[in-house]
Amino acid sequence: YPATLEVGVRVKKIGSSSMQVEHALFYAGTQECVATARAVVVWFDFKNQRSAKVPDSLRAAITALEVLPLEQ
């Protein structure tokens, strides 16, 4: 602190009801990584209180943005 950071985010893998998401924080304008994080995001059906299939439209949109092929 103080610092200006840039955040990179990517979906590493899409499963049937979840996605593995990776984050990296860099000092702005450099390639110096100062922190990384991973998360699993579960698509959830609140009405039925259970995980649900990742919608095909979302899967297609993410796949179109990512460079690496995604597992299904």
Side-chain angles (χ1 to χ4, degrees):
Y1 175 83
T4 301
L5 301 174
E6 294 175 346
V7 180
V9 179
R10 76 176 193 145
V11 175
K12 183 175 181 181
K13 178 181 175 183
I14 299 179
S16 60
S17 63
S18 66
M19 297 174 269
Q20 292 180 11
V21 182
E22 295 182 330
H23 310 76
L25 281 72
F26 300 87
Y27 285 123
T30 76
Q31 293 185 8
E32 185 178 352
C33 183
V34 295
T36 61
R38 289 184 186 165
V40 174
V41 177
V42 177
W43 199 259
F44 195 76
D45 178 345
F46 285 95
K47 180 179 178 184
N48 294 308
Q49 290 295 295
R50 54 182 277 176
S51 61
K53 182 178 180 259
V54 175
D56 291 337
S57 58
L58 180 61
R59 183 183 304 278
I62 292 170
T63 302
L65 293 173
E66 294 293 347
V67 176
L68 300 175
L70 301 171
E71 288 185 28
Q72 295 192 21

